[in-house]
Amino acid sequence: MSLPLAAWFARLGGVDPAPFFVLSLLPYLAFLWWAQKVRAFPRLALRGFQLTLLFVAVTIAAAVVAQLAYGRQLAEVDPLHGGAEAFLTLSNLVVLLGFRPRPEQPLPGEQVLRGRGAAPPDPEDGASASAS
Amino acid sequence: MHALSLPTWWIHITSVLEWGLAILAVQAYGRLRREGGWRWLALAMVPALVSAMAACTWHLFDNSEALKGLVVLQAGLTALGNGALALAAWNLLRLQRLAPEDGTP
């Protein structure tokens, strides 16, 4: 049972991972494109997801430096590796903070109630709110 | 496990923990808003979590050449996960357009 799996894993190791990393960029850009059109998507979380692109850019640059200056892959040059990965720690933190629960967050449908409670309904305000 | 210095390990572990917590936060966000699309987004974030764990496992074993399959797994799951993220965002947009009575924030 474990033997075929081990053989498959060994074969997997012979595959070049680079094209998958390159290919994964396209759906990620599509993700960002659609996500920014979602009005309820927390803007801070969106920033975090965008920052991930910075992490990718820094990682590529660091990998090139590791190869040219040390003739090694990025994971073998610890300061470059850690320095690049720190950008992912940052972007993930921003994503997490973007989705953290905020009590003042307007709920769908609740906005109307809150608007009524805060001020007497102005017919013009109401019209513009429903139009937008 | 000495291929990585302690600070570099912490950077890795923190990233993974943050991503895991972000998945839970997205789920909670959807519950709060009573919108199902966010649960799909949370689910779409899971492949990247597994991908990160594969990468960390590879580092744990000193970036062993024999375990290079983990890097390929990481790459494949990244591509798959990003595709899932794109679908989840598209789905959120679709649901937004299906509910036009929902006010603009």
Side-chain angles (χ1 to χ4, degrees):
Chain A
M1 189 62 197
S2 74
L3 217 58
L5 196 66
W8 171 79
F9 187 72
R11 254 206 328 278
L12 193 68
V15 178
D16 181 12
F20 291 102
F21 283 124
V22 175
L23 204 76
S24 64
L25 196 62
L26 204 72
Y28 196 79
L29 292 174
F31 160 64
L32 288 179
W33 175 250
W34 283 319
Q36 53 106 14
K37 290 184 166 195
V38 176
R39 288 190 299 268
F41 212 103
R43 293 298 108 176
L44 187 64
L46 204 58
R47 282 278 167 272
F49 283 121
Q50 288 163 348
L51 267 176
T52 306
L53 287 180
L54 180 65
F55 155 72
V56 172
V58 170
T59 301
I60 292 169
V64 169
V65 171
Q67 196 56 247
L68 293 183
Y70 303 96
R72 293 185 168 275
Q73 52 181 342
L74 182 60
E76 292 168 334
V77 186
D78 188 74
L80 285 174
H81 184 204
E85 288 288 340
F87 282 86
L88 187 64
T89 310
L90 174 73
S91 64
N92 284 3
L93 180 68
V94 175
V95 170
L96 177 60
L97 290 178
F99 278 108
R100 84 194 181 284
R102 281 159 299 168
E104 76 276 13
Q105 201 166 268
L107 291 169
E110 198 191 291
Q111 281 171 312
V112 185
L113 288 170
R114 202 176 277 170
R116 277 195 198 129
D122 186 311
E124 275 181 76
D125 269 11
S128 67
S130 59
S132 61
Chain B
M1 61 178 288
H2 299 291
L4 272 63
S5 68
L6 201 58
T8 303
W9 265 121
W10 276 116
I11 285 165
H12 278 71
I13 292 164
T14 310
S15 291
V16 178
L17 284 178
E18 283 169 349
W19 190 253
L21 288 174
I23 291 174
L24 296 178
V26 170
Q27 261 189 309
Y29 185 77
R31 254 200 313 275
L32 197 70
R33 294 188 58 86
R34 297 186 196 90
E35 289 168 350
W38 301 98
R39 294 192 72 193
W40 285 109
L41 178 66
L43 187 67
M45 289 167 76
V46 171
L49 182 68
V50 181
S51 162
M53 286 172 173
C56 285
T57 308
W58 187 59
H59 291 328
L60 192 65
F61 289 98
D62 293 326
N63 309 331
S64 153
E65 197 59 40
L67 296 180
K68 204 68 192 243
L70 286 170
V71 181
V72 184
L73 210 61
Q74 181 204 0
L77 284 169
T78 301
L80 180 82
N82 288 2
L85 281 175
L87 281 177
W90 174 83
N91 183 51
L92 280 169
L93 195 60
R94 183 185 68 91
L95 292 172
Q96 172 178 285
R97 282 169 183 166
L98 280 177
E101 78 277 7
D102 190 10
T104 344

